[in-house]
Amino acid sequence: MSGVPGGVLIAVEHKNGSGGLNRVSLEAVAAGQALAKQLNLECSAAILGEGLASIAAELSGQRLTRIHTVEHPLLAQYTADGYIHALEQVVTKVAPEYIVFPHTYQVRDFAPALATRFQQVLISDVIAIHDGPTFVRQLFQGKLNADYRSSATPCFISVQAGAFRADSLEAATAPAPIETLAIDLGAGQIRTAPSAPFRESAHTVDLTAAPVIVSVGRGIREQDNIPLVQALADALGAELAASRPICDAGWLPMERQVGSSGQTVSPRLYLAVGISGAIQHLVGIKGSRTVIAINKDENAPIFEVADYGVAGDLFEIVPALTKAILAAKS
């Protein structure tokens, strides 16, 4: 990764106060590494905040040309104004050709305005990067894929959660050098007061971090049959998820919904039980390493994306599968 200076810059998001990188930021690093490798460019990262030593050290284990830390008291808590002013100076100093963000609520808040400062637009929610480079986005809840190319630089993109795998990261042969970038930022430039960090309620489930997911769809027929699939999830040590109709009906909480209007997941194993495979659901599972589908309709769309499929009655298959798993573990 010793190509042209400037290259690819990854804007890394982290958990304020907890000293850890967001998983989606590691996926953005993987996307940035892939883009840099494709174009034979250098790949670096930028971190904003205060007290960044531990986060920079964590990131230095990845194959990066350098890590830019931008520390300032006004960046200790996120504000759109603070991030826009700070990153505008970072982009000007580093002069990257491409800036890669994770597609998070925070990035959606400030990145379009940042891109506008450079008379560019943000190519958001990218799911793939092809030669060119061509950036692929989905339209109409995943019904269409659209290709985007930028002839101007710098080019700003954000990558969808689960589209690039964190486990594909290239590790560093030696720790990446850490460089402090000084910025000019005054309190008068911050027009809003920072809010307290958003904290999810204790019962909220982060399906994006689950290595194994068992998901249930309308084939379960009624709410009283949910424990049948829950038993299979328990046997596998998996999280229980659902398609939208199940959550809309109130049979499972909305936090367990997978799909374009729910969570986008990328587990090692996704087991779809009684899910037909509407495009809105398939959008949410495209990052799964292995998909197994159980559905009585052999023509169900889910079988088109499944690595393994069982066409049969879930009320016979699921209990038998659960029993076999428990027997194997005993």
Side-chain angles (χ1 to χ4, degrees):
M1 217 174 276
S2 58
V4 180
V8 177
L9 177 68
I10 305 152
V12 176
E13 189 172 307
H14 57 90
K15 303 171 185 176
N16 281 338
S18 65
L21 292 170
N22 288 343
R23 181 190 61 83
V24 289
S25 281
L26 293 175
E27 293 176 356
V29 174
Q33 287 181 336
L35 177 60
K37 187 174 183 178
Q38 178 189 131
L39 300 175
N40 190 31
L41 296 175
E42 289 189 347
C43 185
S44 59
I47 318 171
L48 277 61
E50 195 173 35
L52 300 174
S54 62
I55 299 171
E58 180 183 351
L59 191 60
S60 68
Q62 308 306 325
R63 191 180 180 199
L64 296 165
T65 304
R66 64 185 59 82
I67 297 167
H68 305 285
T69 58
V70 184
E71 300 204 39
H72 195 284
L74 291 174
L75 298 175
Q77 287 184 280
Y78 167 77
T79 63
D81 285 335
Y83 270 54
I84 290 168
H85 285 295
L87 279 170
E88 181 182 11
Q89 294 173 64
V90 171
V91 172
T92 300
K93 291 180 178 181
V94 177
E97 295 180 46
Y98 299 91
I99 300 97
V100 179
F101 302 91
H103 190 71
T104 64
Y105 286 110
Q106 182 170 293
V107 165
R108 278 176 268 185
D109 187 42
F110 75 85
L114 174 64
T116 302
R117 294 284 179 96
F118 293 88
Q119 299 183 327
Q120 301 297 324
V121 297
L122 174 70
I123 303 175
S124 63
D125 220 11
V126 168
I127 63 166
I129 302 173
H130 300 317
D131 289 346
T134 299
F135 304 104
V136 183
R137 297 181 67 243
Q138 293 184 316
L139 306 177
F140 303 109
Q141 294 188 315
K143 292 183 174 67
L144 293 176
N145 282 355
D147 291 345
Y148 292 78
R149 295 188 66 176
S150 175
S151 58
T153 58
C155 175
F156 296 80
I157 72 165
S158 66
V159 295
Q160 187 179 105
F164 298 85
R165 302 193 64 90
D167 57 14
S168 68
L169 283 166
E170 292 188 59
T173 54
I178 300 170
E179 172 185 300
T180 300
L181 283 182
I183 60 163
D184 181 17
L185 186 61
Q189 295 173 293
I190 311 297
R191 297 171 296 177
T192 57
S195 302
F198 173 76
R199 297 185 181 276
E200 296 177 334
S201 56
H203 67 275
T204 298
V205 177
D206 182 11
L207 295 175
T208 64
V212 182
I213 294 175
V214 175
S215 195
V216 60
R218 284 183 292 187
I220 200 66
R221 296 179 187 167
E222 58 186 51
Q223 187 174 11
D224 289 343
N225 293 328
I226 296 288
L228 188 76
V229 182
Q230 179 70 69
L232 175 58
D234 292 342
L236 287 169
E239 286 287 355
L240 181 66
S243 60
R244 179 171 180 170
I246 298 298
C247 296
D248 282 349
W251 296 359
L252 284 174
M254 296 302 295
E255 66 203 41
R256 294 191 177 273
Q257 180 184 329
V258 170
S260 59
S261 56
Q263 298 194 51
T264 299
V265 299
S266 52
R268 293 197 304 268
L269 172 63
Y270 187 86
L271 205 164
V273 178
I275 294 175
S276 62
I279 186 62
Q280 292 86 350
H281 189 79
L282 299 183
V283 167
I285 69 171
K286 64 183 181 299
S288 303
R289 185 177 301 177
T290 302
V291 176
I292 300 176
I294 301 172
N295 198 294
K296 67 179 181 180
D297 179 9
E298 62 183 18
N299 295 314
I302 191 71
F303 288 128
E304 296 179 12
V305 300
D307 298 283
Y308 302 95
V310 182
D313 187 347
L314 71 85
F315 295 99
E316 296 178 2
I317 296 167
V318 170
L321 182 57
T322 303
K323 182 178 179 180
I325 293 169
L326 292 174
K329 294 170 68 174
S330 61

